[in-house]
Amino acid sequence: MHRTIKMSMGVGASSLIMIFVVLATVTLATLALGTAHADYKLAMKSAKGVSQYYKADSKAEEMLALIDEVLRYTAVSNLEKEFLAIPGVAIKDTQADTKKDRHIVYEVPINDRQMLSVVLGVNESSEQDQLSYNIIAWQVVNSIEWDYDEGGLGFEDIIIEE
């Protein structure tokens, strides 16, 4: 007499495997959705920052065109008077070694935390009392200092004793 032994997983084991597969799929889908949402928020924040920068850059270029116009048609002796009429533009004299340099400085706000700072060097040409400029700095600077407490790093509860 031969007995045949059948080995089967049964209904319970296949149900457990199916529940495990569904839970794993739901978990991965939830993680993927969370990552996609975080990426979307980062992309929107980046797009807003780039848009704000290029608006400020455009305003700085407009001011540069106005400064170029003033430099082209203004005598050296009337330079300070002409630039006082332009809001936000300042002339600073610096002493580098024995040479006296004039710099035109202005800032354009990007957002509440950053400014686009522009520094132009004024070149005096001996020909026809002509003025020109060269760009010394065109950079983004922070308008307020970052406060470490405001950053919220979450390390305030850690106490290290030696």
Side-chain angles (χ1 to χ4, degrees):
M1 284 188 127
H2 282 283
R3 285 190 184 176
T4 310
I5 301 175
K6 287 187 177 181
M7 299 283 285
S8 66
M9 288 177 40
V11 176
S14 64
S15 295
L16 286 176
I17 291 174
M18 188 57 112
I19 289 172
F20 176 72
V21 168
V22 168
L23 283 175
T25 305
V26 168
T27 303
L28 290 175
T30 304
L31 290 173
L33 186 62
T35 303
H37 182 67
D39 286 347
Y40 174 76
K41 284 179 21 180
L42 183 62
M44 289 297 111
K45 195 174 189 180
S46 177
K48 181 180 176 185
V50 168
S51 174
Q52 289 174 340
Y53 172 79
Y54 281 111
K55 282 181 185 175
D57 186 64
S58 175
K59 288 180 186 176
E61 288 285 350
E62 289 172 4
M63 288 186 75
L64 183 62
L66 181 62
I67 289 169
D68 186 41
E69 190 77 18
V70 169
L71 285 175
R72 186 174 299 159
Y73 298 110
T74 301
V76 176
S77 58
N78 295 336
L79 190 63
E80 282 83 7
K81 186 178 89 175
E82 289 292 327
F83 279 115
L84 287 176
I86 303 173
V89 176
I91 295 180
K92 295 186 178 180
D93 291 331
T94 59
Q95 197 76 11
D97 296 329
T98 59
K99 184 180 172 187
K100 187 175 180 183
D101 292 329
R102 284 189 178 160
H103 291 136
I104 300 170
V105 180
Y106 63 96
E107 292 180 335
V108 178
I110 296 174
N111 53 34
D112 59 338
R113 295 180 174 263
Q114 294 178 323
M115 305 281 279
L116 182 61
S117 176
V118 179
V119 179
L120 306 172
V122 178
N123 303 323
E124 295 182 22
S125 174
S126 59
E127 303 172 1
Q128 304 170 356
D129 205 25
Q130 187 76 23
L131 294 171
S132 64
Y133 68 89
N134 60 330
I135 299 173
I136 295 174
W138 191 286
Q139 63 187 3
V140 176
V141 294
N142 291 329
S143 58
I144 60 172
E145 192 169 328
W146 184 61
D147 186 14
Y148 294 107
D149 294 335
E150 185 180 306
L153 297 176
F155 297 118
E156 56 273 354
D157 294 336
I158 298 175
I159 299 172
I160 300 175
E161 295 180 19
E162 293 183 19

